[in-house]
Amino acid sequence: MVLKSMVASASDLSLVSVAGNSPLDFKNRVFGGRLISLGFRFNKGSKCKGNERFNFEVRAAVEVGVERSKSKALEGGFGLDVVSEAELTVKGFAGLRKTKLVCTVGPACSSLEDLENLALGGMSVARLNMCHGTRDWHRDVIGKIKKLNEEKGFCVSVMIDTEGSQIHVVDHGAPSSVKVEEGSNWVFTAEHFEGSRPFTVQTNYRGFSEGIEMGDELVIDGGMACFEVVEKTGNDLHCKCIDAGLFLPGAKLSFWRDGKLVRGNNKLPTLSTKDWADIDFGIAEGVDFFALSFVNHADSVKDLKNYLSSKSTKSIKVLAKIESSESLHKLEEIVRASDGIMVARGDLGVEIPLEQIPTVQEDIIYVCRQLNKPVIVASQLLESMVEYPTPTRAEVADVSEAVRQYADALMLSGESAIGSYAQKALAVLDMASSRMESWSREENRQSLVNYHQLGASLPECITEQICNCAVEMGT
Ligand SMILES: Nc1ncnc2c1ncn2[C@@H]1O[C@H](COP(=O)(O)OP(=O)(O)O)[C@@H](O)[C@H]1O
Ligand SMILES: C=C(OP(=O)(O)O)C(=O)O
């Protein structure tokens, strides 16, 4: 076995969006290596806010000549991951994938073995959605990921996704999904009772039916099933199913009237009491990222960042999820305030017409590129793979398009959390993103990226130019 290591250090750089030991964010400045496979650590106390100056040291090491599956942890103290000799000798660094892959961890992939297979398959970030599962369940998953990182040399970051103030199902009468037949009658209630009642859905928010009228439409998970409100008694809604579909555990509810979203939960704060408790949980568990749901204003990002810097010595990064029309109106200030962005297409598709999603996605990515913030494209990238072992052509095209637009990361949701083909879905992301990256390189598309200048002082500008030249030479 040959251990090749490269150590590059730079001081007084003012590059932003470089996050701790996370592998998420380097694509912003570097287009020439599979940085997922390298470990990055910053000196203790390094800050990466705005144009603040900070010292950092980048170390990368590559273990050559070891089969991925047989790899052992390497000594040395910095975050390491492994790449196979074959990949390096055949393609060199330029041939290695740069797009980071985020997997939502759910019951279908939470065993140590499944997580290891995902890490081997290229998972760079494990996402834990606090809408689902208990804190004990999430703690167990975080423990397994830490174990894999420590013992097997992976470099998987952990991201906690807050539930946010949304109306969702607490119980729908079954432990897993339930088929809803057209014409069936259901009661939606905020009353909490032990156990389940047939055709009765308990919701999480007492005021969920405020302002809702007879004739309004109740849409489940942005279109999984649809009901008409036929009667209102107290806070309860009696509804008839008008579009058959599925109720998943924790499904989200939205209300529509005359083709427009009824803004019921707008008064709710971005971070609920439960979210703050989940944030304390994440700090205690040493997670790397918080993805903040339903950000409508930069202030909620700033509040969370202030809270994190007062509570944690570790630099935990905050990613704002863009999933409401309000967040689109304040996009630039939200991107500036955040360490990164998630294009949360699931909820965004409930808030804006579906046909606008592709252009809005491109706009969000463009703003992130300009402000040099990492951006994740999320939701339904390979939705059919929740059930089937192969993706549709349209899904592969969607993945490729996100990479072509310079998204930094792609995310699996149900495909990995509850799907039967999590590893295959990850392999499709890996292959499709690698293919698009190498096509872009061959076509020399990277030169079209217009890097936003960050350096303020002359030394900063010089350092920045040196880095940009290195990037150009590497691509
Ligand atoms: N920790 C978990 N425990 C149980 N089920 C989960 C978990 N995480 C995700 N899921 C399931 O995977 C589906 C897709 O995940 P995700 O997209 O994160 O959630 P949502 O659909 O609520 O936005 C969820 O609807 C839920 O059924
Ligand atoms: C990623 C998303 O958020 P969540 O899974 O919490 O709905 C989304 O809405 O696309």
Side-chain angles (χ1 to χ4, degrees), residues 9 199 226 298 400 419 451 466:
S9 59
F199 298 103
C226 193
S400 305
Y451 292 118
I466 293 170

Side-chain angles (χ1 to χ4, degrees), residues 104 127 129-132 161-163 166 221 252 293-294 321-323 342-349 378-380 411 413:
T104 302
R127 166 185 179 248
N129 187 350
M130 300 310 279
C131 290
H132 309 284
D161 196 326
T162 60
E163 182 173 317
Q166 52 183 309
D221 273 341
K252 277 170 256 173
S293 295
F294 297 102
K321 288 168 72 180
I322 304 299
E323 50 189 340
M342 185 194 292
V343 188
R345 304 186 303 181
D347 284 301
L348 199 53
S379 292
Q380 296 184 335
M411 189 172 109
S413 298

Side-chain angles (χ1 to χ4, degrees), residues 98-126:
K98 304 172 291 288
T99 308
K100 316 304 180 281
L101 307 179
V102 183
C103 298
T104 302
V105 181
C109 65
S110 59
S111 72
L112 191 64
E113 195 188 345
D114 288 333
L115 291 168
E116 179 168 2
N117 285 333
L118 290 177
L120 285 167
M123 168 172 70
S124 7
V125 180

